[in-house]
Amino acid sequence: MSISPHRSLRLSAGALGLMLPLASAHAVPSFARQLGVSCAACHTAYPQLTPFGRQFKLLGYTMQNEPKVEADNGKRLDIDRWAPLSLMVMVSDSLPQHPGSGVDASQVEFPNQLSLFYAGAITQHVGTFLQYTAGDGGAFSLDNTDVRYANQTSLGNTSVIYGIDLNNNPTVQDVWNSTPAWQFPYFTPGDTFTTAGGASVPTTLIEGALAQSVAGLTAYGYFDNAYYAEAGVYHGMNNPSTASPANGGQVIKGMAPYWRFAYTGQAGNNNWEIGTLGLVAQVPVNGPGGPNDDFTDIGFDGQYQWLAGKNTVTVHGAYYHERQDLGGSNALDGTTYGNQHLDTYNVSATYYYRRMYGATLAYLGAASSADAVDQGALGGYAPGSKGASAYIAQLDYVPWYNTQLSLQYMDYAKVGGSTRDASYNNYLMLGMWYAY
């Protein structure tokens, strides 16, 4: 199900038909419209990618089977007949297991999330995934953004897909669903949801703490459809409305190196990936001239897929180790936190029948030293988390490829290093996801 790197990025409908397990197109968001295929060509279930979906992303979202408007033989003008626009709506009703005093027993979020996308080919070698999202408050803001130039060549007998990527969230450019930007759970209660416990599983810096607060430029190569390498840097974006941490509104100071390496394979209905990634960043604790806390994140991830007609199985696993040098906080507050560490885990397994009926089981965990920083509270440090763990069970019904109904139960086993009152954070969520 992969594409020969020697072929043109623009494929005929016949060529696509030979490679893709096509089904009738019940929904046609912008990528599907561009390719002229069903959502099932690229996804087992949104947002989990198939091998073809990963290839489409690596090639810069530029493959297409749509008529073009060209002038001067395409040298100066090359645009789609239709703007690559899409809409996504998420609605949820979340029920805390223990509402507690002042907590509603049923918390409806309509919308839980509303997103507009400009997503598709811009030129023959440049494409984009640009998302604007309105949360519970109703105001739109820039969400995940991934703009990339991609091309392909050969080095001797080695096929190469290569590119340059500009994004605003470390790992949003990744093509495997075992990395933070795309890992399970994909759908959770929104910003206004509360429980009596009010806890969450701690996360490292690379697991979303920098999302939409940084700009990153990376270069990548995919060799012989087997070896993937990527490296680049991230820099904080100015946001004067961000009060803390203070660095002219920047979450990190200076350049933060990022790297990603993976090995992939495919045999029959099976495909897999194992990899590593990392980020090194300085976080200011008292303005641009003040001291910094230093964070080094190193992660290991793996993914396995079995795609066999009516049945699909996907298993993801990830482990992140974060070394925290809290020297800046020590100097500022007179504390003695010193060097700390935070380890997190995310494991999930999903089964789908006919791409319509799905079930997922997942485990989320974290363990830390006594005074480690929870990056989920970046800007409002929360030392002393000492770890947490939770289990998720989710059932999905997908009547159409662009519509998903979900029933999700979150069961906390440990919060703050203790099992006592952990269940006060449990909830049941009914959700609907729709995209067009």
Side-chain angles (χ1 to χ4, degrees):
M1 292 176 59
S2 62
I3 303 169
S4 167
H6 302 291
R7 296 182 182 177
S8 168
L9 298 182
R10 299 180 186 176
L11 303 179
S12 67
L16 282 167
L18 292 174
M19 291 188 296
L20 304 181
L22 297 184
S24 57
H26 297 284
V28 283
S30 57
F31 288 149
R33 282 190 286 267
Q34 177 177 303
L35 286 167
V37 301
S38 164
C39 301
C42 290
H43 299 281
T44 57
Y46 184 83
Q48 298 186 46
L49 293 176
T50 64
F52 178 78
R54 291 192 285 273
Q55 201 89 346
F56 174 72
K57 186 173 180 178
L58 285 169
L59 287 168
Y61 313 109
T62 57
M63 294 168 55
Q64 52 199 293
N65 185 41
E66 182 186 15
K68 305 289 289 185
V69 177
E70 298 186 0
D72 298 335
N73 295 322
K75 295 179 180 178
R76 298 181 60 190
L77 179 65
D78 184 8
I79 60 175
D80 295 322
R81 288 186 181 274
W82 307 103
L85 301 176
S86 290
L87 168 73
M88 182 181 75
V89 180
M90 300 166 70
V91 179
S92 66
D93 183 6
S94 303
L95 299 89
Q97 183 172 320
H98 299 284
S101 176
V103 177
D104 293 333
S106 175
Q107 301 179 38
V108 176
E109 294 169 296
F110 183 75
N112 174 297
Q113 182 175 311
L114 173 64
S115 291
L116 301 175
F117 299 88
Y118 184 92
I122 298 175
T123 71
Q124 184 177 359
H125 296 292
V126 177
T128 185
F129 175 93
L130 180 65
Q131 180 180 5
Y132 271 88
T133 294
D136 298 306
F140 276 90
S141 60
L142 186 63
D143 203 332
N144 288 324
T145 298
D146 178 22
V147 181
R148 62 177 74 203
Y149 166 86
N151 208 336
Q152 48 192 339
T153 187
S154 295
L155 298 176
N157 295 324
T158 301
S159 63
V160 182
I161 295 174
Y162 63 94
I164 298 174
D165 192 278
L166 177 66
N167 66 82
N168 68 348
N169 181 6
T171 76
V172 76
Q173 74 274 27
D174 210 84
V175 297
W176 292 279
N177 291 95
S178 48
T179 51
W182 302 110
Q183 69 187 9
F184 188 86
Y186 316 118
F187 191 173
T188 58
D191 299 335
T192 62
F193 175 71
T194 58
T195 64
S200 61
V201 177
T203 57
T204 61
L205 191 71
I206 202 172
E207 294 178 276
L210 302 181
Q212 292 81 60
S213 297
V214 295
L217 185 66
T218 67
Y220 65 89
Y222 190 39
F223 304 89
D224 272 343
N225 289 324
Y227 302 96
Y228 180 81
E230 179 184 2
V233 294
Y234 284 86
H235 192 281
M237 293 191 292
N238 287 334
N239 182 5
S241 64
T242 303
S244 178
N247 182 30
Q250 292 184 7
V251 175
I252 61 174
K253 181 183 291 187
M255 298 292 185
Y258 170 85
W259 65 90
R260 170 72 160 134
F261 303 100
Y263 169 74
T264 71
Q266 184 169 336
N269 296 326
N270 306 276
N271 68 83
W272 58 87
E273 173 268 339
I274 55 173
T276 183
L277 65 160
L279 178 80
V280 179
Q282 293 183 323
V283 176
V285 295
N286 190 34
N292 309 308
D293 286 341
D294 298 329
F295 296 87
T296 300
D297 290 8
I298 299 176
F300 300 91
D301 73 296
Q303 172 176 301
Y304 168 77
Q305 280 186 327
W306 179 60
L307 309 178
K310 298 178 182 179
N311 301 285
T312 68
V313 174
T314 304
V315 179
H316 301 114
Y319 161 72
Y320 296 95
H321 173 77
E322 181 172 79
R323 182 182 182 276
Q324 305 177 354
D325 181 352
L326 306 183
S329 296
N330 294 341
L332 184 66
D333 303 330
T335 55
T336 56
Y337 294 147
N339 294 329
Q340 303 290 324
H341 73 270
L342 172 63
D343 299 305
T344 64
Y345 313 85
N346 184 303
V347 180
S348 65
T350 300
Y351 169 76
Y352 262 87
Y353 177 68
R354 290 184 177 271
R355 309 280 180 104
M356 182 177 289
Y357 307 99
T360 300
L361 293 176
Y363 168 77
L364 311 180
S368 71
S369 52
D371 296 309
V373 172
D374 174 6
Q375 297 296 353
L378 185 63
Y381 287 170
S385 61
K386 300 180 183 178
S389 62
Y391 298 89
I392 302 176
Q394 180 171 312
L395 298 176
D396 298 314
Y397 173 55
V398 185
W400 307 281
Y401 286 129
N402 68 330
T403 305
Q404 177 175 302
L405 305 176
S406 299
L407 177 64
Q408 180 187 105
Y409 180 67
M410 182 84 153
D411 178 27
Y412 278 84
K414 181 188 295 184
V415 171
S418 172
T419 59
R420 183 179 179 180
D421 298 332
S423 65
Y424 278 79
N425 301 280
N426 296 356
Y427 66 81
L428 179 71
M429 183 191 73
L430 302 172
M432 185 193 76
W433 168 89
Y434 172 79
Y436 180 76

